[in-house]
Amino acid sequence: MEDKKLRSRIREISGFYADKGRMPSFSEVGKLVGLRSKNAVSKLVKRLEALNVLARDEKGRLVPGSIAYPVKMLGTVEAGFPSPAEEELADTLSLDEFLIGNRDATFLLRVSGDSMSGAGILPGDMVLVDKGRSPGSGDIVIAEVDGEWTMKYLKKRGGSVTLLPANPAYEPIRPKKELKIAGVVTAVVRKYK
Amino acid sequence: MEDKKLRSRIREISGFYADKGRMPSFSEVGKLVGLRSKNAVSKLVKRLEALNVLARDEKGRLVPGSIAYPVKMLGTVEAGFPSPAEEELADTLSLDEFLIGNRDATFLLRVSGDSMSGAGILPGDMVLVDKGRSPGSGDIVIAEVDGEWTMKYLKKRGGSVTLLPANPAYEPIRPKKELKIAGVVTAVVRKYK
DNA sequence: CTTGACAGTGAACGTTCGTTCACTTTATAA
DNA sequence: TTATAAAGTGAACGAACGTTCACTGTCAAG
């Protein structure tokens, strides 16, 4: 089969999965790509399995392969963009899987102050916070000090604890009494436009 | 049913979906949560539909509801963490859906220089680049100037084009001849640890 | 104690699923 | 042109699916 036709069929199936969150059945694949025979679909599926576009369960049911990982990972900025042929071979990645370690315990918070701008966390950014992780020295944490919530570097030295901003305009915080650490920042996400 | 039992059942089903990338069948749900009758499963599914945990196609097939959006979105850092009861009502979000606009045209590049550190893009960060978007003035772009790839602010003034770093240690670039813009940076992602 | 609502069982049923087989059409190369 | 492989058709088939119905156990309220 021409490469182009196969490509467009893969795109159809990916689109279906992205839309609905489930894989199409064989007959649905047929309608999607314009095949009237389920046998033809069966052959197509075998090819897509070989290409890791989709796969099968231990129960034999269709599950997404690279389809589930929507973004292609290339090299570095300096390397620029590879040729289209190389692009096809690129690893694909799901940001959800990449960024979220502990599904049930991670949350998304919007950043409003600029006290961590020195660490590349700007107002308006979103941070992923893991509530279930034990904070270590050097981690960026969400903490409640004397009734107020902030995001700061956590520094432990000896027995004492300091909350350190990443902006010289702010002062380090040495909590008087209460210091509740609600979670550790595990990722930062910024969307433009 | 006790809330706790229902909660754990939802977790089972979410886990199945996260693992396999597909929803379980009714009998599989049965095994998962410990129900031997498909009728019992049917009743459970109706409840979960009402809770938007899962939903159904126009074809009546199970599709993920909030399950597909793995991270709970809360307020701002200053607001801290709400009480567990409020947490349950939080909107959930898929980072893939949130960050990726143009599925087929967006790619992930790793940042290696510090020329954009003033814009909160540090070495080691990942940037999402949309190849299919027409770059506007003020956008951060991936460009090839005189054979080298860089990431810079794009400034258009009159007919001339300048590439502006966000770090005073670097000089603005006024391309002599060739300037290929490969894509627009649509998001930044940083993972700690 | 009785009633009723709720959670679950087990079986029957029609539908849809994916596999398979024999066959036809289309394209490629000798 | 003829041979040959690849791409697709259409139908048959058993298995699994989700729906539905009649029924059982449990527990709290009247």
Side-chain angles (χ1 to χ4, degrees):
Chain A
M1 194 194 300
E2 318 113 65
D3 211 45
K4 201 177 144 191
K5 202 165 166 191
L6 184 59
R7 212 71 71 74
S8 94
R9 286 179 169 180
I10 293 176
R11 225 174 303 122
E12 286 295 334
I13 296 175
S14 299
F16 187 102
Y17 184 77
D19 264 20
K20 310 234 195 187
R22 69 167 174 91
M23 291 298 276
S25 73
F26 276 48
S27 6
E28 286 171 326
V29 172
K31 266 175 212 158
L32 233 40
V33 306
L35 288 174
R36 273 183 287 191
S37 164
K38 285 206 272 179
N39 179 33
V41 175
S42 182
K43 289 176 184 173
L44 173 61
V45 165
K46 280 197 186 94
R47 298 232 268 140
L48 298 184
E49 279 186 73
L51 294 172
N52 277 319
V53 170
L54 47 81
R56 279 164 188 269
D57 270 320
E58 52 294 348
K59 286 189 75 172
R61 317 203 7 153
L62 287 188
V63 292
S66 61
I67 282 179
Y69 307 102
V71 33
K72 303 185 197 73
M73 193 157 41
L74 306 181
T76 63
V77 169
E78 277 77 14
F81 284 89
S83 69
E86 297 172 76
E87 234 171 55
E88 293 303 322
L89 301 171
D91 277 338
T92 58
L93 186 72
S94 158
L95 295 173
D96 285 327
E97 282 203 21
F98 177 58
L99 294 178
I100 304 174
N102 192 349
R103 229 183 162 72
D104 290 326
T106 95
F107 299 83
L108 208 49
L109 288 182
R110 186 168 291 279
V111 177
S112 48
D114 65 347
S115 72
M116 290 303 283
S117 61
I121 305 180
L122 310 179
D125 290 359
M126 314 281 292
V127 286
L128 280 159
V129 181
D130 190 334
K131 270 184 108 165
R133 194 148 127 189
S134 65
S137 189
D139 286 350
I140 298 173
V141 297
I142 307 291
E144 190 187 13
V145 199
D146 307 319
E148 302 239 325
W149 290 96
T150 40
M151 174 175 55
K152 297 280 182 304
Y153 277 119
L154 178 73
K155 291 288 173 191
K156 293 182 182 174
R157 223 171 335 182
S160 80
V161 170
T162 312
L163 293 176
L164 220 55
N167 183 339
Y170 293 79
E171 293 295 320
I173 301 178
R174 234 168 293 270
K176 305 182 189 68
K177 288 175 57 183
E178 24 177 6
L179 170 64
K180 261 183 264 172
I181 294 178
V184 177
V185 173
T186 57
V188 181
V189 155
R190 181 183 313 134
K191 191 187 178 185
Y192 290 111
K193 254 276 201 102
Chain B
M1 194 194 301
E2 319 111 66
D3 212 47
K4 202 177 143 191
K5 201 165 165 191
L6 184 59
R7 212 71 71 74
S8 95
R9 286 178 170 183
I10 293 175
R11 226 173 303 122
E12 286 295 334
I13 296 174
S14 299
F16 187 102
Y17 184 78
D19 263 22
K20 308 237 195 183
R22 68 166 175 93
M23 291 297 277
S25 73
F26 276 49
S27 5
E28 285 171 326
V29 172
K31 266 176 212 157
L32 234 40
V33 307
L35 288 175
R36 272 183 287 190
S37 164
K38 285 205 270 178
N39 178 34
V41 175
S42 182
K43 289 175 185 174
L44 173 62
V45 165
K46 281 197 186 95
R47 298 231 269 140
L48 298 184
E49 279 186 72
L51 294 173
N52 277 320
V53 170
L54 46 80
R56 279 165 188 268
D57 269 321
E58 51 294 349
K59 285 189 76 173
R61 312 193 24 142
L62 287 188
V63 291
S66 60
I67 283 178
Y69 308 102
V71 33
K72 301 185 198 73
M73 191 154 47
L74 306 180
T76 62
V77 169
E78 277 77 12
F81 284 89
S83 68
E86 297 172 78
E87 234 171 54
E88 293 302 323
L89 302 171
D91 277 338
T92 57
L93 186 72
S94 158
L95 295 173
D96 285 327
E97 282 204 19
F98 178 59
L99 294 178
I100 305 174
N102 192 350
R103 228 182 161 74
D104 290 325
T106 96
F107 299 82
L108 208 48
L109 289 181
R110 186 168 291 278
V111 177
S112 47
D114 64 348
S115 73
M116 291 301 283
S117 61
I121 305 180
L122 311 178
D125 291 359
M126 315 281 290
V127 287
L128 279 160
V129 182
D130 189 335
K131 269 183 110 166
R133 194 148 129 188
S134 64
S137 189
D139 286 349
I140 299 174
V141 298
I142 307 293
E144 188 185 15
V145 198
D146 307 319
E148 300 239 324
W149 290 96
T150 41
M151 174 175 54
K152 296 281 183 302
Y153 277 119
L154 178 72
K155 291 287 174 191
K156 293 182 181 173
R157 222 171 337 181
S160 80
V161 170
T162 313
L163 294 176
L164 220 57
N167 184 340
Y170 293 80
E171 292 296 317
I173 301 178
R174 231 169 295 269
K176 304 182 188 70
K177 287 174 58 183
E178 26 176 4
L179 169 63
K180 261 182 266 171
I181 294 179
V184 177
V185 173
T186 57
V188 181
V189 154
R190 183 183 311 134
K191 191 186 178 186
Y192 290 110
K193 256 276 201 104

